[in-house]
Amino acid sequence: MKYLICQKVKIVDMNEEIMAEVLFRHGEYDSSLWSVGSSVVTHQLGLKQFDVVYDKREGKVQRSKIVDIETDLMADPISTKVFLEPVTLIIGQHDIGELE
């Protein structure tokens, strides 16, 4: 079964004013090992202006807990989303520039 891994990301300015809230999609994975409370290791998230992207610089990894698993029985085919704990990114602090 395929699972879509998602993470809510709040983008704030230096005064902690919310600029945007987005649902970042880490991708689809085929596994049966997902359970609430488990940890997932991915690239750390960063910002390119207001776009949430992976920060692929060396040593930039993040460990996130799975907080929810949602199965949509009304979709055809049935879809399942795995939600990681939300993160907050600060404009100016989490900018990664134009790295590829």
Side-chain angles (χ1 to χ4, degrees), residues 48-100:
K48 278 189 183 179
Q49 296 177 350
F50 285 100
D51 295 327
V52 179
V53 296
Y54 284 125
D55 187 347
K56 294 187 177 180
R57 295 178 287 185
E58 190 173 329
K60 299 289 186 175
V61 296
Q62 75 180 15
R63 181 185 189 109
S64 303
K65 289 216 180 280
I66 296 173
V67 295
D68 193 19
I69 299 174
E70 174 186 279
T71 302
D72 186 350
L73 298 176
M74 297 178 63
D76 188 26
I78 294 171
S79 67
T80 302
K81 293 179 183 173
V82 175
F83 289 93
L84 303 180
E85 60 192 342
V87 295
T88 300
L89 300 177
I90 302 169
I91 295 173
Q93 260 186 5
H94 293 103
D95 292 327
I96 65 169
E98 294 300 318
L99 297 176
E100 289 299 322

Side-chain angles (χ1 to χ4, degrees), residues 28-43:
E28 265 192 350
Y29 297 91
D30 195 10
S31 177
S32 60
L33 300 175
W34 312 110
S35 64
V36 174
S38 297
S39 293
V40 174
V41 177
T42 64
H43 289 286

